[in-house]
Amino acid sequence: MSFISKWAGLLGLLAVIVIGDQIRISRPGHKYRLTVEVTTPDGIKTGAGVLAVVPDRNYNRGGRTTMRGEAVFVDLGRGKNLVALLAHQQGGKLDLDDINYVALRAYGAARGNRVSFNDISRQAGIVPVQGELIPVLVSFGDPRDPQTARPVAGDHADTVLGDGYAVRGLTAEVVPNGFWPIDFGGALGEPVTRGIEAKLPWLGVPGEAAATALKAAGLPVVGTTEAREAFARK
């Protein structure tokens, strides 16, 4: 083997090791489908999104678990909608981290015992998301205008949406990670849901539109970056 071939082989092996380690670091710990069902005068309307939860395996984020995915947009027809944000409201603050643990805690509540982070990917079945696990719900009078956002109470959705509308329930379902990062669907695994910018077009425009929407909904004010994370995370 020539000197050049030897070094080429070593560099190729090093590249494989580096790429493999990056996949290990960035691969989701688990994915789950968050589904929102709403009763309407025209029947039950459903929206769902697959979210990926990524632990900090390299500890370069201070051990902080992160999320990939988007808020769940439910088209209710008749120009109405409901959006489940990637956020919870705790007291007077907007919590952007609790969404990472919705599936974990929902399965624990349904099973009647604690489910560990390492075991969540092995859970099966669909479980209800109830009480404090329900993320912030909002509705837009005009999805093209962030200033039309209004908060929706899970037990009194008709106050904002009108007579005949009610939040029927939210559920979580763990789905396979698939062959990340080539989880493009089908046998490769379910990809993280994308496309909310087509429904809320102002999200695709740099600026403070996301913060404007949260403020219009009466939610605690956060920075521009944090505000956008309530709707979408890469």
Side-chain angles (χ1 to χ4, degrees):
M1 180 182 293
S2 69
F3 178 80
I4 294 178
S5 297
K6 179 180 178 180
W7 276 103
L10 288 174
L11 288 174
L13 178 60
L14 179 61
V16 169
I17 292 173
V18 171
I19 292 172
D21 192 50
Q22 287 303 308
I23 291 176
R24 176 192 68 81
I25 292 170
S26 302
R27 188 173 190 267
H30 67 273
K31 295 178 184 176
Y32 72 94
R33 179 183 291 106
L34 181 64
T35 300
V36 183
E37 292 187 345
V38 182
T39 300
T40 79
D42 302 314
I44 296 172
K45 304 292 183 178
T46 303
V50 173
L51 306 171
V53 180
V54 187
D56 184 9
R57 298 186 180 94
N58 204 35
Y59 295 97
N60 58 0
R61 299 191 302 265
R64 180 173 180 255
T65 297
T66 58
M67 162 74 67
R68 298 185 192 123
E70 297 180 338
V72 177
F73 186 101
V74 189
D75 186 346
L76 304 177
R78 304 190 187 192
K80 298 179 184 292
N81 57 77
L82 182 71
V83 184
L85 301 183
L86 303 180
H88 291 76
Q89 188 169 2
Q90 303 290 346
K93 296 183 179 180
L94 200 65
D95 190 307
L96 299 173
D97 289 330
D98 271 6
I99 193 70
N100 302 328
Y101 308 103
V102 164
L104 184 76
R105 293 166 179 167
Y107 276 93
R111 305 287 190 256
N113 62 332
R114 182 177 178 273
V115 176
S116 73
F117 197 90
N118 291 332
D119 290 336
I120 184 63
S121 61
R122 292 188 284 272
Q123 302 300 308
I126 300 173
V127 295
V129 174
Q130 300 172 323
E132 294 182 352
L133 296 181
I134 296 176
V136 173
L137 304 175
V138 300
S139 179
F140 290 88
D142 180 354
R144 298 168 297 180
D145 184 356
Q147 297 188 68
T148 65
R150 298 293 181 269
V152 176
D155 52 352
H156 293 291
D158 57 325
T159 302
V160 172
L161 299 175
D163 292 340
Y165 292 87
V167 177
R168 189 167 185 262
L170 283 77
T171 61
E173 177 187 13
V174 168
V175 299
N177 270 339
F179 296 97
W180 192 90
I182 57 170
D183 48 349
F184 302 137
L188 296 176
E190 295 194 49
V192 167
T193 302
R194 298 295 182 190
I196 196 170
E197 289 182 2
K199 300 165 183 174
L200 302 175
W202 41 268
L203 272 176
V205 180
E208 300 183 357
T212 297
L214 297 182
K215 184 178 180 180
L219 296 168
V221 176
V222 293
T224 301
T225 301
E226 292 86 350
R228 196 180 191 286
E229 287 189 349
F231 294 90
R233 304 184 197 180
K234 296 182 178 180

